Amino acid sequence: MEQEIEQGINRAILLMQQRLSEKITIGDMADAAMYSKFHFSRMFHRITGISPGRFLSALRLEHAKQLLRSTDLTTMEISHRVGYASVGTFGNRFTSCVGLPPSVYRQYGGLPCRTGLRFGRLGQAPRKPTAVVRGRLLSPRTDMIAPAFVGLFPDPLPEGSPAGCAILSRPGPFILEQVPAGTWYVLARCATIETSADSVPSIGVHGPFTVHPGSVQRIDVHLRPRRIADPPALLAILDRVPATSQHDAG
């Protein structure tokens, strides 16, 4: 049954990918998944962790990032290709989710950074320390050496500013400090992304879990290949994880 549900959700996501420039309704998605609209929305959130509307918006911005990196299309042309009638609305949404305006993202191809660093909220003054999240990013391959990003987000969609993050030169220990109390997900992305059957894992998700003031939360995050139902990674820093650096031992 679970496999059938995932297959239905995957069909809906494929429809979204094929019609990024068009208006797509919940009814269209539900029809592709072969569910009623009410049942579809509940199942979609259960499988992906976010609503169909947010997933579609994320797919559109992910494609916009690709077009900014690989084409000479204007921002207006790109906004129309990913379903936005207003270039202003597109620019505001892109900046909020990706962390950079489209023009700056095109110039740099992401957000430059160095590994071996630990961050509070990106682009903001650190919050008063309330908790610490320590853990290990684990790969089935013990010999895996690839840069990785580990971030703390309120849901499974890596967008906007993380509540804390670390950049590692390879899977291993990490520490996230100055974490506000609340319910969070730890999301990890590896720089090496392959598509073959024996590919290197590229994504890790752990959550939701609750952090209390003054606590030290210890978790393990397991890497695996990205699935079609995993929300796109929008945060610009994920497009510029460096290739080499000193390992952050946490």
Side-chain angles (χ1 to χ4, degrees), residues 67-120:
L67 293 174
L68 286 166
R69 293 194 304 265
S70 62
T71 75
D72 294 325
L73 294 171
T74 66
T75 300
M76 178 175 290
E77 290 170 328
I78 290 173
S79 69
H80 292 160
R81 288 202 179 194
V82 296
Y84 284 83
S86 165
V87 67
T89 300
F90 166 73
N92 290 337
R93 181 67 177 159
F94 187 98
T95 302
S96 173
C97 295
V98 176
L100 297 172
S103 59
V104 178
Y105 182 86
R106 165 168 272 167
Q107 181 179 359
Y108 292 106
L111 181 63
C113 60
R114 292 184 294 120
T115 61
L117 296 179
R118 303 189 188 103
F119 303 87

Side-chain angles (χ1 to χ4, degrees), residues 91-171:
N92 290 337
R93 181 67 177 159
F94 187 98
T95 302
S96 173
C97 295
V98 176
L100 297 172
S103 59
V104 178
Y105 182 86
R106 165 168 272 167
Q107 181 179 359
Y108 292 106
L111 181 63
C113 60
R114 292 184 294 120
T115 61
L117 296 179
R118 303 189 188 103
F119 303 87
R121 292 181 64 83
L122 293 179
Q124 301 182 22
R127 295 187 177 190
K128 182 178 179 181
T130 59
V132 173
V133 175
R134 305 180 68 100
R136 296 177 301 165
L137 182 60
L138 302 174
S139 169
R141 284 183 48 175
T142 57
D143 62 340
M144 181 179 177
I145 301 177
F149 169 92
V150 180
L152 200 65
F153 295 88
D155 59 39
L157 178 59
E159 66 175 1
S161 296
C165 67
I167 299 172
L168 314 177
S169 63
R170 59 181 296 174

